[in-house]
């Protein structure tokens, strides 16, 4: 138990902040729905419950994935996060289904809701809180991608760097982006229904929110299914290929693999070096190369093998260096 709580200290912080915030929002929306019966509010309540539960799972999964390798599991627990996320999206899927069904009922058999002021106030507070969580998640994406930006960068530039974010951070950002958009949609629907009497618009908003939730489910499921199987990080392969090619003692690259292990990367490479190196010199070079690779973002496991240069160029597909990943010298 002590080890479990120790691991929780290293859990993904944005997911914990988002989980706590969405718990508060879900309670607030649930109380509002109880007093108003507003279908759009029901949709938002389901959305927030799903987000909160999902993000608690993500936080715990990200913490457990950092557990050190054991004799039984020598490759570590990095992919545990992908497995947890695959299970967590099922919760969002169930909530999305219930949201769409309730929205369809409201469209086919419209019912006028009460407590207009309560709905507007609660949705407005929820939108503000969701935007704050979205901003924090966007800021974390920029940090993980090694990108600096202005005050609004977390809400603008972060979209271009989502692929460099950790799976948990990316999930929080996507969920809160949909939550913020869903909150705005629900608020607009409540206003239209109140001032025009077109009650079916609340059902349409509920269905739209449910479909957005399903989009997150599919996106997250596909990404983490690839991660659970073992996916290559192509951008990092390109970056590390640059590092090795520019190393003065590396003549060529025979093999280079960069596999995603949850939030971390496993790097395995075989490089060709001067065949005249002594055993001691080759051993020292191997350690230096491993040290350089371990200093790269998210890399926590490196296997470096050396081979004698045969004079034939094997690695030829090195593309342009990513601007967010400058070279690291020894």
């Amino acid at each position: 138990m002590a080890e479990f709580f120790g691991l929780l200290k290293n859990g993904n912080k944005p997911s914990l902040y988002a989980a706590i915030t969405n718990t508060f929002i879900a309670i607030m929306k649930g109380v509002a729905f109880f007093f108003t019966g507003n279908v759009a509010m029901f949709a938002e309540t389901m959305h927030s419950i799903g987000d909160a539960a999902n993000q608690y799972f993500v936080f715990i999964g990200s913490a457990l994935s950092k557990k050190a390798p054991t004799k039984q599991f020598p490759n570590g627990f990095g992919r545990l996060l992908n497995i947890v996320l695959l299970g967590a999206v099922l919760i969002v899927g169930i909530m999305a289904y219930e949201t769409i069904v309730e929205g369809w009922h409201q469209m086919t058999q419209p019912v006028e809701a009460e407590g207009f002021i309560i709905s507007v106030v609660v949705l407005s507070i929820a939108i503000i809180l969701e935007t704050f969580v979205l901003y924090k998640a966007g800021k974390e994406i920029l940090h993980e991608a090694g990108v600096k930006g202005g005050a609004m960068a977390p809400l603008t530039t972060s979209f271009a760097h989502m692929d460099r974010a950790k799976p948990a951070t990316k999930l929080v950002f996507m969920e809160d982006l949909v939550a913020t958009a869903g909150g705005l949609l629900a608020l607009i629907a409540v206003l239209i229904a109140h001032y025009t009497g077109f009650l079916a618009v609340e059902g349409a908003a509920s269905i739209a929110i449910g479909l957005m939730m399903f989009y997150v489910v599919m996106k997250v499921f596909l990404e983490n299914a690839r991660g659970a199987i073992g996916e290559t990080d192509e951008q990092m392969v390109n970056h590390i290929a640059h590092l090795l090619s520019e190393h003065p003692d590396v003549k060529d690259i025979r093999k280079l693999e960069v596999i995603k292990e949850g939030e971390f990367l496993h790097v395995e490479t075989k490089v060709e070096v001067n065949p005249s190196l002594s055993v001691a010199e080759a051993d020292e070079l191997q350690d230096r190369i491993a040290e350089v690779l371990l200093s790269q973002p998210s890399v926590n496991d490196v296997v470096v093998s050396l081979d004698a240069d045969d004079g034939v160029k094997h690695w030829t597909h090195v593309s342009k260096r990513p601007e967010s990943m400058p070279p690291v010298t020894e």
Side-chain angles (χ1 to χ4, degrees):
M1 188 60 70
E3 182 186 15
F4 174 75
F5 286 109
L7 288 170
L8 286 182
K9 295 179 181 179
N10 298 317
N12 184 266
K13 296 302 187 294
S15 61
L16 178 60
Y17 300 148
I20 295 172
T21 302
N22 276 301
T23 298
F24 173 74
I25 292 174
I27 294 172
M28 185 172 61
K29 289 176 179 177
V31 172
F33 169 68
F34 178 79
F35 285 107
T36 66
N38 189 292
V39 173
M41 186 66 72
F42 172 81
E44 279 298 288
T45 302
M46 292 295 100
H47 192 173
S48 295
I49 291 174
D51 283 353
N54 209 359
Q55 287 153 358
Y56 279 121
F57 275 119
V58 171
F59 172 70
I60 295 172
S62 67
L64 295 180
S65 70
K66 295 180 175 64
K67 180 178 171 62
T70 63
K71 185 177 181 180
Q72 186 177 4
F73 300 100
N75 292 326
F77 298 82
R79 297 188 193 184
L80 180 62
L81 176 59
N82 299 115
I83 296 172
V84 170
L85 288 175
L86 286 175
V89 294
L90 294 177
I91 297 174
V92 182
I94 294 171
M95 297 298 180
Y97 171 77
E98 292 295 334
T99 298
I100 292 174
V101 169
E102 194 66 27
W104 178 253
H105 289 164
Q106 177 66 9
M107 286 190 67
T108 55
Q109 299 176 338
V111 176
E112 184 174 1
E114 301 177 354
F116 170 71
I117 299 299
I118 295 176
S119 296
V120 171
V121 171
V122 168
L123 287 173
S124 298
I125 294 173
I127 290 169
I128 293 172
L129 292 176
E130 294 284 11
T131 303
F132 172 74
V133 175
L134 181 66
Y135 184 89
K136 294 286 287 185
K139 192 173 181 179
E140 189 67 16
I141 286 177
L142 296 181
H143 172 71
E144 292 171 1
V147 177
K148 295 182 179 180
M152 295 304 296
L155 297 178
T156 55
T157 312
S158 55
F159 288 92
H161 300 282
M162 282 183 61
D163 289 341
R164 300 307 311 161
K166 296 177 180 179
T169 305
K170 186 189 299 186
L171 174 62
V172 172
F173 185 83
M174 289 177 59
E175 284 190 337
D176 278 283
L177 176 63
V178 171
T180 304
L184 285 170
L185 193 60
L187 180 59
I188 292 171
V190 168
L191 292 172
I192 292 175
H194 179 76
Y195 288 109
T196 67
F198 181 45
L199 303 180
V201 71
E202 293 179 351
S206 180
I207 292 175
I209 292 168
L211 292 175
M212 287 191 293
M213 292 167 70
F214 266 127
Y215 170 76
V216 172
V217 169
M218 290 187 293
K219 182 78 172 174
V220 174
F221 180 85
L222 290 175
E223 287 191 4
N224 285 280
R226 294 197 300 268
I229 295 171
E231 183 183 16
T232 298
D233 189 323
E234 294 291 350
Q235 186 173 0
M236 204 63 177
V237 167
N238 179 39
H239 171 61
I240 291 177
H242 272 287
L243 290 180
L244 295 174
S245 299
E246 295 168 0
H247 196 290
D249 295 312
V250 174
K251 305 303 180 183
D252 194 12
I253 305 172
R254 292 290 296 268
K255 172 186 176 182
L256 176 58
E257 294 180 352
V258 182
I259 305 298
K260 295 179 181 178
E261 298 281 354
E263 296 184 355
F264 304 108
L265 299 174
H266 168 79
V267 180
E268 186 169 344
T269 183
K270 176 183 284 189
V271 297
E272 292 187 351
V273 298
N274 192 328
S276 64
L277 289 177
S278 67
V279 174
E281 290 172 333
D283 185 61
E284 182 183 355
L285 175 59
Q286 189 176 33
D287 291 341
R288 293 205 310 270
I289 293 174
E291 184 179 352
V292 171
L293 298 184
L294 281 169
S295 68
Q296 304 311 300
S298 299
V299 175
N300 79 327
D301 183 37
V302 171
V303 177
V304 179
S305 302
L306 304 183
D307 200 1
D309 182 21
D310 59 5
V312 179
K313 193 68 174 176
H314 297 278
W315 192 270
T316 57
H317 47 285
V318 180
S319 56
K320 184 179 178 182
R321 177 191 297 283
E323 294 181 1
S324 62
M325 293 183 174
V328 176
T329 58
E330 294 184 83

